[in-house]
């Protein structure tokens, strides 16, 4: 008997209230008599929306608050709550399963005319189909044209949930900004921008979850370096296009060993070093100046000998999410660094040609004015480490996302790159759900406290197999990377390697590294036995905190053995294998200790239910494979 996982996806957007009385007539406007038991929540919201005539009973004083909601009921409530009316001369809906005799026809007609609903590709509407939170969010966005302050993590929506969300939606004053790369120019007066960077500059700085700012991005490719440094921001694929397969791709092409003409684009306004009385003092100030820019906005670092290096690993990031941007959320977004994958004409034009060492020397025996001019010219002629060629460059570090933001949540996102794809650092808490991450070497690295839940980890072809993680956690940290019920795929070439040359689950960038793989499904591209993990420089795997247990192959068969670099105990299980507690406490970097729990856990409503039929229930995926297709393993 087959059993599969039903994973109810999380969605930040809100839900519309629904009608219960199929006739559409209110026969009993008294308070419902079935909403006061202990299982019903949001009673005040139910009472409020009943008084407004938005929700109706069954004519016998019952609301049935724990029942589910159909598409027809949802549309009726969306139309009533948003106070939408029929458009004179508007088009008639032509759904194959909707007729004028249906009780819900007037509401479907109004919703269709107001572009709240579109129907399915086959011409149907499916009025009796139960809705999920994605359906609700899409209908709400189209009806009200504003986002919600509510995040839902849990099971399919109940009626009592619906009316509560409706209250939140009605009172929401959150900022909504839209990005569409297809438009010719931005329209700030309408909150519509052509680039993501423009939208970020225009976004207000929210001071709480209640004032969260939403940036809805239309499908398309956005080739720009993105710098996110404002809290309580949500990036999401515009719900208007949720039914389209087209992705939102945020991409750029910086490689760590390269230098680029466009590198000054993100420079903050800073004062250039003043005149100095000596070459030594000038060189020191220049180094501090450039180092500060590097920390602030991705400027290159000046080496001690006065030469300018490549952009470096952290500054190669296509998208940077700073510590200031805590409580960041991304949903249905693809992040990419294309450096090791393909070379665009724009990238080729942007690379600096190699120049002679004398062109970049800072320590010249000139007067102060000439020294300043020499520095300015050298900054415009970065020294490249490799020869510019039309051929593919040697692989180097190229980060797609660098995230230092505490309480960051990525839902149904994709991270595309090769070496160093995802850099999560500064001991931030990050949660990745239903996401896809690919790479070759150390493509998930840093010192963050991170959970990867129901993610697809794809190792791409690499001659020496490669490594998935490279943790740099401190000895004081008790939690690092937890991969819980993830699927580990690999390109076919990797399975042909000898065991010692296959993909390793991780290696310690620093000795305190923590990488735990629990209840994961692993392909035969992963090394087995003692080769599961590897050393890195002077850091030894046996002294790091590595664990892998309860693993299965891709067919669902248990794999033999448990690898652990420390003794397995019940206390260890609680610390390292409890995904519900894994990100509940932040880390105080000043005092180098865990903070008191704030119980942050965006996966708290993720539930596992066992089914016999082996079908995807309500179309909810668990994993993506490399072809962006869904995969659900048997248990």
């Amino acid at each position: 008997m087959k059993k599969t996982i039903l994973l109810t996806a999380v969605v930040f957007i809100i839900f519309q209230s629904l009608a219960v009385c199929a006739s559409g007539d209110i026969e009993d406007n008294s308070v419902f008599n079935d909403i006061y038991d202990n299982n019903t929540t949001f009673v005040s919201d139910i009472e409020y929306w009943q008084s407004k005539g938005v929700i109706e009973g069954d004519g016998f004083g019952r609301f049935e608050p724990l029942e589910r909601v159909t598409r027809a009921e949802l549309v009726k409530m969306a139309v009533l709550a948003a106070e939408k009316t029929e458009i004179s001369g508007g088009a008639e809906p032509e759904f194959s399963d909707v007729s004028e005799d249906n009780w819900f026809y007037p509401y479907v007609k109004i919703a269709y005319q107001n572009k709240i609903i579109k129907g399915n590709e086959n011409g149907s509407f499916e009025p009796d189909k139960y809705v999920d939170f994605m359906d609700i969010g899409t209908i709400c966005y189209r009806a009200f044209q504003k986002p919600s302050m509510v995040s839902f993590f849990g099971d399919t929506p109940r009626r009592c949930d619906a009316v509560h969300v409706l209250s939140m939606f009605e009172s929401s004053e959150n900022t909504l900004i839209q990005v569409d790369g297809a438009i010719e120019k931005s329209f700030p007066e309408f909150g519509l921008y052509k680039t993501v960077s423009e939208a970020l500059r225009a976004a207000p700085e929210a001071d709480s979850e209640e004032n969260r700012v939403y940036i809805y991005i239309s499908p398309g490719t956005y080739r720009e370096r993105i710098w996110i440094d404002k809290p309580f921001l949500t990036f999401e694929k515009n719900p208007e296009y949720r039914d389209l397969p087209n992705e939102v791709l945020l991409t750029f092409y910086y490689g760590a060993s390269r230098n680029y003409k466009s590198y000054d684009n993100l420079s903050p306004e800073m004062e250039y070093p003043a005149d100095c009385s000596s070459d030594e003092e000038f060189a020191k100030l220049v180094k501090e100046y450039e180092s500060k820019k590097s920390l602030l906005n991705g400027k290159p670092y000046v080496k001690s000998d006065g030469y300018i290096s490549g952009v470096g690993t952290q500054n190669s990031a296509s998208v940077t999410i700073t510590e200031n941007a805590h409580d960041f959320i991304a949903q249905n977004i693809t992040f990419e660094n294309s450096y090791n994958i393909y070379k665009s004409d724009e990238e080729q034009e942007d690379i600096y040609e190699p120049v002679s060492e004398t062109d970049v020397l800072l320590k010249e025996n000139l007067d102060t004015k000439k020294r300043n001019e020499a520095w300015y010219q050298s900054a415009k002629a970065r020294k490249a480490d490799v020869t510019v060629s039309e051929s593919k460059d040697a692989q180097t570090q190229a980060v797609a996302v660098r995230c230092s933001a505490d309480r960051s949540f990525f839902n149904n996102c994709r991270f595309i790159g090769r070496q160093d794809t995802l850099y999560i650092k500064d001991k931030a808490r990050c949660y990745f759900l239903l996401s896809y991450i690919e790479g070759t070497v150390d493509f998930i690295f840093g010192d963050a406290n991170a959970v990867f839940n129901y993610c697809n980890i794809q190792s791409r072809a690499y001659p020496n197999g490669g490594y998935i993680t490279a943790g740099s956690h401190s000895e004081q940290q008790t939690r690092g990377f937890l991969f819980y019920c993830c699927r580990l795929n690999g390109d076919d070439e990797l399975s042909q390697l000898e065991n010692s040359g296959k993909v390793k689950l991780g290696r310690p960038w620093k000795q305190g590294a923590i990488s735990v793989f629990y209840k994961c499904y692993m392909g035969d591209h992963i090394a087995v036995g003692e080769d599961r993990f590897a050393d890195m420089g002077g850091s030894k795997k046996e002294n790091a905190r590595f664990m892998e247990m309860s693993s299965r192959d891709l067919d669902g068969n248990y794999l033999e053995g448990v690898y652990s670099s420390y003794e397995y105990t019940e206390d260890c299980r609680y610390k390292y294998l409890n995904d519900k507690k894994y990100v509940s406490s932040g880390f105080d970097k000043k005092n180098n200790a865990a903070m008191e729990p704030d119980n942050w856990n965006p996966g708290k409503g993720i539930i596992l239910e066992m089914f016999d039929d082996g079908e995807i229930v309500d179309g909810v995926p668990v994993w993506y494979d490399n072809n962006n297709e869904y995969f659900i393993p048997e248990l």
Side-chain angles (χ1 to χ4, degrees):
M1 181 169 57
K2 295 183 178 180
K3 297 182 178 180
T4 55
I5 296 175
L6 167 62
L7 175 63
T8 303
V10 297
V11 177
F12 80 96
I13 43 187
I14 61 178
F15 180 84
Q16 215 40 274
S17 163
L18 32 121
V20 180
C21 181
S23 68
D25 297 326
I26 302 176
E27 298 184 22
D28 185 355
N29 198 37
S30 61
V31 175
F32 300 125
N33 57 32
D34 61 346
I35 64 174
Y36 298 105
D37 59 40
N38 293 331
N39 293 322
T40 302
T41 54
F42 314 128
V43 171
S44 61
D45 298 300
I46 296 173
E47 294 173 337
Y48 171 75
W49 289 111
Q50 183 190 20
S51 70
K52 300 277 288 186
V54 173
I55 58 174
E56 302 170 357
D58 60 0
F60 300 97
R62 293 189 299 265
F63 177 57
E64 298 182 323
L66 304 184
E67 293 298 313
R68 295 184 63 180
V69 185
T70 67
R71 287 170 60 86
E73 293 169 341
L74 171 61
V75 166
K76 177 180 178 181
M77 292 301 97
V79 167
L80 292 177
E83 300 182 353
K84 297 297 183 181
T85 59
E86 183 176 343
I87 298 175
S88 178
E92 298 285 335
E94 296 181 352
F95 300 125
S96 59
D97 51 0
V98 175
S99 69
E100 295 185 16
D101 297 333
N102 298 129
W103 68 265
F104 49 81
Y105 180 81
Y107 310 106
V108 169
K109 180 179 180 180
I110 293 172
Y112 182 79
Q113 291 179 340
N114 285 274
K115 299 182 178 180
I116 297 173
I117 58 173
K118 298 179 179 179
N120 303 316
E121 290 184 358
N122 62 7
S124 67
F125 174 62
E126 297 183 290
D128 296 325
K129 181 181 178 180
Y130 289 128
V131 298
D132 58 23
F133 281 109
M134 284 294 288
D135 294 322
I136 295 165
T138 302
I139 295 299
C140 288
Y141 169 66
R142 292 172 179 169
F144 289 89
Q145 286 295 297
K146 65 176 181 178
S148 163
M149 68 180 70
V150 180
S151 295
F152 267 86
F153 308 101
D155 204 352
T156 48
R158 307 166 300 171
R159 291 173 179 167
C160 57
D161 298 324
V163 293
H164 174 63
V165 177
L166 187 59
S167 297
M168 294 295 97
F169 201 91
E170 182 189 48
S171 61
S172 174
E173 296 181 357
N174 299 82
T175 300
L176 172 61
I177 297 173
Q178 298 188 64
V179 179
D180 189 343
I183 61 177
E184 293 185 1
K185 66 175 184 177
S186 297
F187 296 90
E189 62 273 24
F190 300 114
L192 178 61
Y193 297 88
K194 184 174 178 62
T195 69
V196 176
S197 296
E198 285 181 289
L200 282 167
R201 286 192 291 269
E205 188 163 326
D207 58 2
S208 67
E209 180 66 38
E210 288 70 26
N211 296 319
R212 175 173 290 277
V213 175
Y214 295 86
I215 298 181
Y216 286 174
I217 308 174
S218 296
T221 298
Y222 299 83
R223 185 169 284 107
E224 50 183 305
R225 292 175 68 207
I226 295 171
W227 185 267
I228 304 170
D229 63 352
K230 296 176 181 179
F232 300 107
L233 270 176
T234 292
F235 274 25
E236 181 167 359
K237 177 180 176 180
N238 193 326
E240 185 72 22
Y241 303 99
R242 65 155 291 198
D243 296 326
L244 298 180
N246 311 60
E247 68 179 352
V248 174
L249 176 62
L250 309 183
T251 182
F252 213 65
Y253 49 75
Y254 277 2
S257 62
R258 290 284 199 181
N259 285 292
Y260 301 90
K261 302 170 187 176
S262 63
Y263 205 49
D264 290 333
N265 286 355
L266 289 182
S267 300
E269 293 297 326
M270 294 177 61
E271 184 177 352
Y272 186 76
D275 289 350
C276 307
S277 57
S278 67
D279 291 341
E280 181 179 357
E281 183 180 357
F282 173 75
K284 180 180 178 181
L285 282 175
V286 165
K287 181 176 180 179
E288 292 176 352
Y289 171 77
E290 287 298 302
S291 176
K292 188 177 294 184
K293 278 190 174 182
S294 175
L295 293 174
L296 285 174
N297 240 345
K299 288 292 294 179
Y301 187 77
V302 181
K303 295 182 178 180
S304 58
D305 60 3
Y307 293 102
I308 304 168
S309 67
V311 299
T313 300
Q314 72 170 2
N315 297 330
S316 70
S318 301
V319 176
T320 297
I321 309 167
T322 72
E323 287 187 79
N324 291 336
H326 58 82
D327 295 277
F328 175 78
I329 296 176
Q331 299 194 116
N332 305 315
I333 303 292
T334 297
F335 303 91
E336 178 189 73
N337 189 314
S338 63
Y339 180 79
N340 294 307
I341 306 174
Y342 60 88
K343 181 182 287 186
S344 65
D345 292 339
E346 180 182 350
E347 177 185 355
Q348 184 62 45
E349 289 296 320
D350 198 17
I351 297 174
Y352 274 110
E353 296 283 354
V355 293
S356 66
E357 294 182 354
T358 56
D359 289 334
V360 293
L361 278 172
L362 295 175
K363 300 174 183 178
E364 295 181 349
N365 188 20
L366 303 170
D367 59 44
T368 300
K369 184 174 181 180
K370 288 184 178 180
R371 279 201 306 271
N372 289 351
E373 178 63 22
W375 165 249
Y376 176 79
Q377 293 300 328
S378 67
K380 294 299 183 184
R382 314 284 189 205
K383 178 177 176 292
D385 294 337
V386 294
T387 303
V388 175
S389 172
E390 290 297 333
S391 62
K392 187 175 181 180
D393 298 320
Q395 179 170 287
T396 188
Q397 299 93 330
V399 178
V401 170
R402 170 164 64 100
C403 181
S404 301
D406 193 38
R407 297 192 297 270
S408 294
F409 177 46
F410 299 86
N411 174 39
N412 198 24
C413 290
R414 293 169 65 83
F415 302 84
I416 309 298
R418 292 298 181 264
Q419 183 172 350
D420 291 4
T421 304
L422 179 59
Y423 189 9
I424 42 180
K425 55 176 301 194
D426 291 319
K427 299 177 173 60
R429 286 173 290 171
C430 306
Y431 202 105
F432 300 83
L433 176 69
L434 286 170
S435 293
Y436 171 94
I437 307 160
E438 70 168 34
T440 54
V441 175
D442 305 334
F443 59 95
I444 300 173
F445 71 112
D447 65 354
N449 174 192
V451 170
F452 299 84
N453 200 350
Y454 298 99
C455 291
N456 186 355
I457 312 300
Q458 179 78 26
S459 293
R460 305 311 301 263
Y462 186 69
N464 298 321
Y467 311 87
I468 294 176
T469 67
S472 58
H473 305 95
S474 68
E475 298 291 344
Q476 290 73 27
Q477 289 178 268
T478 59
R479 295 167 185 171
F481 300 156
L482 171 62
F483 295 83
Y484 182 72
C485 295
C486 290
R487 175 180 167 89
L488 278 56
N489 284 324
D491 287 358
D492 292 340
E493 299 93 320
L494 297 172
S495 299
Q496 310 305 317
L497 300 172
E498 296 293 329
N499 185 65
S500 60
K502 289 187 176 182
V503 175
K504 313 300 190 295
L505 296 179
R507 58 179 180 169
W509 182 11
K510 293 186 179 179
Q511 195 59 74
I514 302 173
S515 290
V516 178
F517 292 79
Y518 184 43
K519 293 185 177 180
C520 291
Y521 292 73
M522 301 185 181
D524 57 7
H525 66 293
I526 300 292
V528 300
E530 293 298 314
D531 290 323
R532 275 277 205 260
F533 294 88
D535 301 332
M536 187 175 186
S539 298
K540 303 300 181 182
K541 64 181 181 182
E542 58 267 21
N543 297 326
R545 290 167 286 182
F546 291 150
M547 177 181 286
E548 170 262 325
M549 64 179 301
S550 300
S551 302
R552 309 188 191 205
D553 63 23
L554 298 184
D555 293 323
N557 303 308
Y558 275 107
L559 299 175
E560 294 182 0
V562 172
Y563 180 89
S564 178
S565 59
Y566 45 81
E567 184 178 359
Y568 175 74
T569 65
E570 284 303 314
D571 180 62
C572 168
R573 178 185 175 89
Y574 177 81
K575 285 184 178 179
Y576 300 108
L577 304 183
N578 189 331
D579 68 306
K580 302 298 186 295
K581 298 288 185 181
Y582 210 75
V583 289
S584 62
S585 300
F587 194 85
D588 185 344
K589 290 185 289 185
K590 182 178 181 180
N591 296 311
N592 210 19
M595 301 170 65
E596 289 296 318
D598 61 9
N599 297 318
W600 181 74
N601 180 18
K604 63 186 176 183
I606 304 307
I607 60 172
L608 298 179
E609 293 186 8
M610 309 306 296
F611 283 83
D612 297 334
D613 55 11
E615 297 293 327
I616 298 177
V617 180
D618 289 335
V620 177
V622 174
W623 283 286
Y624 283 115
D625 67 15
N626 194 35
N627 296 318
N628 200 26
E629 296 177 349
Y630 300 149
F631 173 88
I632 293 183
E634 295 180 357
L635 288 183

